[in-house]
Amino acid sequence: MNIIGDEADFSLFISDLHLCHTRPAITALFIEFLQSQATQAKSLYILGDLFEYWAGDDDIDDPHHQQVIGAIKVLAATTPVYFIHGNRDFLISHGFANASNITLLADPTLLEVYGKRLLISHGDELCTDDLAYQAFRTQVRNPAWQQQFMAQPLSSRKSQIEALRMRSETEKSQKSEAIMDVNDGAVQALFKAYAYPDLLIHGHTHRPAKHVLEIDSHHCERWVLGDWYDQGSCLRLDAAGCSNVILHLQ
């Protein structure tokens, strides 16, 4: 894996790892990242979709989940770890947070770091052209729906999620790439709502890139995080700015 450097004052941002027991090499890469590069950082921000899916905190005892939780907890003893929910793991709650010693953050969250105003988000709420997805997102983020869903047995919840994932993959194959990307108007509205932060960092689209924007005469940057399907990907932020770091499988 690439070495990030010896400087102590930087933060790391990751998202869209989609960890699951069927992809052990990516889980191993993530744990190695937690035990090496992440230990040098001032803080680590996980911006959603840490897991392929999360059926509820009563699934913490799953062996794969225990492996991931244990590694995060070790890092969090010395390096603060923050988490924003993704579209795959929005059911992560205080049970997981307590077990892994992470801090849950709202989506979006505004930070003051390295002399800059930084807004962080998972990013799925910006994909407003995908009307079907946004309707689904509104439904499953409703506390009443979540309470009803969580009242069902864990095995039933997992079966329903697996069926939803299969349906989602079919539907995505029929959607245009543009519909599944962020909407420019939604991005601009978000910058305006938070008084034009210097930076926006998000994931979800799996399209890592730097976008330079001029919004109402304000210079803004939008950084998109990469996924962890074929390799690892993280963003480093320090006083000098942002830079992408690729983590290769051994």
Side-chain angles (χ1 to χ4, degrees):
M1 292 194 298
N2 297 35
I3 299 301
I4 289 178
D6 297 327
E7 300 88 345
D9 198 2
F10 63 88
S11 294
L12 298 176
F13 300 81
I14 58 174
S15 72
D16 301 288
L17 289 82
H18 295 267
L19 300 179
C20 60
H21 70 278
T22 59
R23 298 168 60 237
I26 293 297
T27 298
L29 180 63
F30 175 57
I31 291 175
E32 183 181 351
F33 164 75
L34 294 178
Q35 294 172 345
S36 54
Q37 283 93 333
T39 63
Q40 305 171 39
K42 182 178 181 180
S43 52
L44 171 65
Y45 294 85
I46 304 172
L47 305 188
D49 286 4
L50 174 63
F51 294 101
E52 180 67 10
Y53 70 82
W54 188 259
D57 284 4
D58 51 345
D59 201 21
I60 281 178
D61 291 334
D62 173 88
H64 177 257
H65 295 163
Q66 279 291 304
Q67 183 184 17
V68 174
I69 289 168
I72 294 174
K73 185 177 182 179
V74 171
L75 173 67
T78 56
T79 302
V81 181
Y82 302 94
F83 179 83
I84 284 180
H85 295 97
N87 55 293
R88 300 294 188 101
D89 48 22
F90 58 87
L91 289 174
I92 280 179
S93 190
H94 298 291
F96 178 90
N98 292 336
S100 58
N101 198 25
I102 64 170
T103 299
L104 300 176
L105 299 177
D107 187 359
T109 288
L110 185 65
L111 307 170
E112 296 275 351
V113 291
Y114 311 112
K116 296 184 180 295
R117 298 175 66 247
L118 166 65
L119 191 64
I120 55 175
S121 172
H122 178 58
D124 58 328
E125 199 167 11
L126 297 171
C127 301
T128 55
D129 293 328
D130 192 343
L131 300 180
Y133 170 71
Q134 291 301 329
F136 171 76
R137 186 184 191 280
T138 298
Q139 176 190 26
V140 299
R141 296 300 182 101
N142 185 294
W145 183 92
Q146 292 187 8
Q147 183 178 16
Q148 182 181 38
F149 184 72
M150 289 300 297
Q152 301 177 47
L154 177 61
S155 58
S156 176
R157 279 178 268 141
K158 285 187 170 184
S159 296
Q160 292 179 60
I161 292 172
E162 290 286 0
L164 283 171
R165 287 176 59 234
M166 292 181 63
R167 188 178 77 184
S168 175
E169 290 302 316
T170 300
E171 291 175 348
K172 282 196 297 185
S173 67
Q174 300 169 353
K175 294 177 181 178
S176 70
E177 291 293 319
I179 285 178
M180 292 187 290
D181 203 354
V182 301
N183 175 279
D184 290 340
V187 170
Q188 292 189 28
L190 185 62
F191 271 103
K192 291 178 183 180
Y194 284 85
Y196 310 99
D198 301 290
L199 303 170
L200 166 63
I201 298 175
H202 71 82
H204 181 64
T205 65
H206 302 190
R207 299 176 183 185
K210 172 188 176 182
H211 301 270
V212 178
L213 310 170
E214 293 293 331
I215 305 174
D216 299 336
S217 300
H218 295 271
H219 177 86
C220 305
E221 294 181 5
R222 178 171 70 92
W223 288 79
V224 186
L225 303 175
D227 62 58
W228 284 55
Y229 282 122
D230 300 315
Q231 59 191 14
S233 176
C234 73
L235 189 72
R236 170 190 167 126
L237 173 62
D238 59 23
C242 294
S243 57
N244 282 304
V245 179
I246 301 301
L247 313 171
H248 297 286
L249 291 167
Q250 298 297 323

